[in-house]
Amino acid sequence: MSAPVRPVLLVVAHGSRDPRHAATVHALVRRVRALRPDVRVETGFLDFNVPSVQGVLESLETEGVRDVVALPLLLTRAFHAKADIPAVLAAAPPRLRIRQAEVLGPSPLLLSALERRLYEAGLTPADKSSTGVVLASAGSSDPEAIAVIAEIAREWRHTGWCAVRPAFASASLPRTEDAVRRLRELGCARVAVAPYVLAPGFLPDRIARGAAGADVLADVLGPAPEVARVLLERYEAARVPVALAVGA
């Protein structure tokens, strides 16, 4: 008896006019495919880029695919995860069985990815106790998302950094440059900015400009191996009920 077919993993990205955004998303998806060649992984964009989420879903339905796990390529449960993506999935072909996976954050693996990027930018583990870090996110008007970022900063501080302060590129305060200045005032010997964003674009560029007064600016999370592993963790958590239903 053959094993049930695994649901297709549909990575749902926001999209951007900045070509670096889509290139980074595709690099991350390639890493996911390399980790799990037994899982079919597709990419759809909400805006600006092709293929669209709706287009991918229609193509899958035409092929005869029935089970899909839609995974929001988002770090917090803000508006896109709560409204935009559910609305797009609700308009999918009715023969598709779709489960929306949880967003990527928070996750210990993402903290590991942040540290990876800081070390790639020149820091070492020996620098932690003398370095203050700005956890710089895109920002949101959703209080739940802001609270999650603040909690991640508090948790990360306990791993040995001099201090960790959250900052936001939009919608919320403080801005990156203000958090950098505050860490200087606290007496941290050096200040690093860690963008808590997945891909380059308008807001990450704003974070970079705000980091002008810092000693170190890390790269975006992008296709870090830890990020790919989080995607697969979210997929596995969401697909289990689907697999049970298929085998029922």
Side-chain angles (χ1 to χ4, degrees), residues 132-176:
V133 179
V134 177
L135 179 68
S137 77
S140 173
S141 58
D142 188 308
E144 177 188 348
I146 297 305
V148 167
I149 298 299
E151 179 57 33
I152 291 169
R154 285 191 291 270
E155 178 183 342
W156 201 15
R157 164 68 181 85
H158 294 311
T159 66
W161 296 99
C162 172
V164 179
R165 291 297 175 95
F168 307 94
S170 68
S172 306
L173 295 174
R175 294 287 183 257
T176 301

Side-chain angles (χ1 to χ4, degrees), residues 6-228:
R6 292 181 182 276
V8 171
L9 168 55
L10 173 58
V11 176
V12 180
H14 182 273
S16 171
R17 293 186 178 91
D18 190 322
R20 297 173 298 167
H21 174 90
T24 302
V25 170
H26 290 311
L28 174 58
V29 169
R30 285 194 296 272
R31 187 177 286 275
V32 172
R33 288 177 178 142
L35 287 174
R36 287 292 300 275
D38 59 318
V39 175
R40 178 175 175 181
V41 187
E42 299 292 342
T43 308
F45 295 91
L46 292 173
D47 206 353
F48 302 116
N49 302 104
V50 293
S52 68
V53 176
Q54 187 67 24
V56 174
L57 291 172
E58 290 172 357
S59 295
L60 291 173
E61 192 270 342
T62 299
E63 288 181 36
V65 170
R66 290 295 172 263
D67 292 301
V68 176
V69 170
L71 194 156
L73 198 60
L74 300 168
L75 294 172
T76 59
R77 285 193 75 253
F79 181 79
H80 294 303
K82 294 177 179 179
D84 284 355
I85 293 176
V88 171
L89 298 181
R95 283 185 287 183
L96 287 176
R97 293 185 290 266
I98 304 174
R99 292 187 65 86
Q100 181 176 329
E102 291 295 328
V103 297
L104 303 185
S107 167
L109 285 169
L110 294 178
L111 289 181
S112 297
L114 287 165
E115 296 205 352
R116 171 189 291 275
R117 294 304 190 221
L118 286 170
Y119 297 150
E120 289 171 349
L123 293 179
T124 70
D127 296 323
K128 291 184 75 167
S129 62
S130 58
T131 302
V133 179
V134 177
L135 179 68
S137 77
S140 173
S141 58
D142 188 308
E144 177 188 348
I146 297 305
V148 167
I149 298 299
E151 179 57 33
I152 291 169
R154 285 191 291 270
E155 178 183 342
W156 201 15
R157 164 68 181 85
H158 294 311
T159 66
W161 296 99
C162 172
V164 179
R165 291 297 175 95
F168 307 94
S170 68
S172 306
L173 295 174
R175 294 287 183 257
T176 301
E177 54 269 31
D178 299 325
V180 169
R181 185 165 52 252
R182 180 57 180 150
L183 289 172
R184 294 281 189 211
E185 294 169 353
L186 287 174
C188 297
R190 69 181 62 78
V191 175
V193 174
Y196 190 60
V197 293
L198 288 166
F202 176 75
L203 293 178
D205 284 349
R206 181 180 288 177
I207 289 171
R209 291 192 297 272
D215 302 294
V216 173
L217 170 62
D219 199 358
V220 298
L221 295 173
E226 295 87 354
V227 178

